[in-house]
Amino acid sequence: MSRRFFLALALAACSLLAAGQAAAQMRALSDSEMSTVSGQGLFTVSNSSYNGFDFTRIALDADVTLNANLANMRLGEYTYGPRNGSGADLDISALRFGRSDAGDAQRLVQISNPYFEFVYRNTGTAGQREVIGMRLGFDSIAGDIGMKIATLSGAMRIDAGAQGAIDTLMDPGGGKRWDGTCSDCTLKLSDVGAVTAGDANGPSRDFWISVLKTPVTFQAAAGMPALTEAQAGVWLNWRDKLMALNLNGMVPVNNPPGH
């Protein structure tokens, strides 16, 4: 998944840069003109500490529109005795950013500030830190996303309206390799064929995937609820403003224009 996904983000960033270069012409600026100009690099780097861990975030400080089809993703394959599930932390047969069956407005998904964040902790030896893992996320995401999830490890909530919700907080196993079933659950993850991220109040603000060798609690963004502790292995977090588009398990088509 990561290669194709990061390639899509890189291509989007390059297209933005190329557009800017095509429209620019080199010319000298006077001192007075220079004083009115401000600029910012493409990437921003920030450091923080939280709950005994140190974090370094590298962010693409940009808004990105994305259309991408990902298939047959199995991340975090290892034996997990308490609940092996499908044998992977994330088993997603289809993940489609955008759809082609509902007009041009739904073809693209809007993403702001994609980032990598690396996690460290002190080793007890001066000047040495141990890398615990990393996560990939977005400050916000809005649009229609087709998905077919067999099992996931994570903290996820999909609002299904009158049918209720699919919520990992209902899982006695804590959301580790969960397929959506529980004693009080009427829906499964496989019932959902697509979701809409964001609503009239704004985009979804808590999408990220982590890869960790020990549990970590990440700091929530300003104004957001505290985050569930991310477990070792691959962990998906997505709970904010996520609404099921259908409950028939059908993933919307996402074909290129003209197809």
Side-chain angles (χ1 to χ4, degrees), residues 72-88:
N72 300 321
M73 294 172 292
R74 288 177 55 84
L75 304 178
E77 292 187 279
Y78 56 88
T79 299
Y80 178 68
R83 180 193 281 168
N84 212 38
S86 66

Side-chain angles (χ1 to χ4, degrees), residues 33-102:
E33 288 174 319
M34 285 290 289
S35 67
T36 65
V37 175
S38 61
Q40 182 171 319
L42 179 62
F43 295 96
T44 60
V45 179
S46 59
N47 297 301
S48 62
S49 297
Y50 186 68
N51 277 356
F53 293 99
D54 297 324
F55 304 88
T56 296
R57 179 178 293 202
I58 304 171
L60 176 64
D61 192 14
D63 296 327
V64 177
T65 56
L66 177 66
N67 181 283
N69 292 328
L70 308 176
N72 300 321
M73 294 172 292
R74 288 177 55 84
L75 304 178
E77 292 187 279
Y78 56 88
T79 299
Y80 178 68
R83 180 193 281 168
N84 212 38
S86 66
D89 285 338
L90 293 182
D91 186 357
I92 305 176
S93 60
L95 187 62
R96 299 176 182 174
F97 291 85
R99 55 189 301 188
S100 59
D101 62 347

Side-chain angles (χ1 to χ4, degrees), residues 11-238:
L11 289 174
C14 289
S15 67
L16 291 173
L17 291 173
Q21 292 166 350
Q25 291 183 339
M26 298 291 290
R27 71 177 183 85
L29 296 177
S30 68
D31 289 342
S32 60
E33 288 174 319
M34 285 290 289
S35 67
T36 65
V37 175
S38 61
Q40 182 171 319
L42 179 62
F43 295 96
T44 60
V45 179
S46 59
N47 297 301
S48 62
S49 297
Y50 186 68
N51 277 356
F53 293 99
D54 297 324
F55 304 88
T56 296
R57 179 178 293 202
I58 304 171
L60 176 64
D61 192 14
D63 296 327
V64 177
T65 56
L66 177 66
N67 181 283
N69 292 328
L70 308 176
N72 300 321
M73 294 172 292
R74 288 177 55 84
L75 304 178
E77 292 187 279
Y78 56 88
T79 299
Y80 178 68
R83 180 193 281 168
N84 212 38
S86 66
D89 285 338
L90 293 182
D91 186 357
I92 305 176
S93 60
L95 187 62
R96 299 176 182 174
F97 291 85
R99 55 189 301 188
S100 59
D101 62 347
D104 290 342
Q106 276 66 50
R107 282 188 176 274
L108 297 174
V109 173
Q110 312 298 320
I111 293 170
S112 72
N113 201 28
Y115 64 84
F116 291 100
E117 189 166 53
F118 297 93
V119 188
Y120 313 86
R121 67 180 171 191
N122 292 327
T123 62
T125 302
Q128 292 186 3
R129 292 189 299 174
E130 178 188 9
V131 177
I132 299 302
M134 57 81 66
R135 66 171 173 167
L136 162 69
F138 314 119
D139 277 0
S140 70
I141 178 170
D144 292 347
I145 297 101
M147 60 171 59
K148 192 70 170 179
I149 303 177
T151 59
L152 69 82
S153 291
M156 190 175 199
R157 184 183 188 278
I158 302 173
D159 187 346
Q163 299 296 317
I166 299 172
D167 192 340
T168 53
L169 295 182
M170 302 172 66
D171 174 30
K176 185 73 171 180
R177 295 196 177 174
W178 190 48
D179 64 0
T181 60
C182 67
S183 58
D184 296 324
C185 299
T186 58
L187 298 170
K188 303 186 296 297
L189 284 167
S190 59
D191 292 330
V192 178
V195 297
T196 295
D199 59 20
N201 295 314
S204 177
R205 300 162 293 168
D206 66 349
F207 175 91
W208 47 265
I209 297 175
S210 63
V211 183
L212 303 166
K213 62 181 182 180
T214 191
V216 173
T217 299
F218 292 94
Q219 188 168 10
M224 294 289 290
L227 295 170
T228 300
E229 184 180 53
Q231 298 301 306
V234 178
W235 189 262
L236 168 66
N237 189 91
W238 203 3

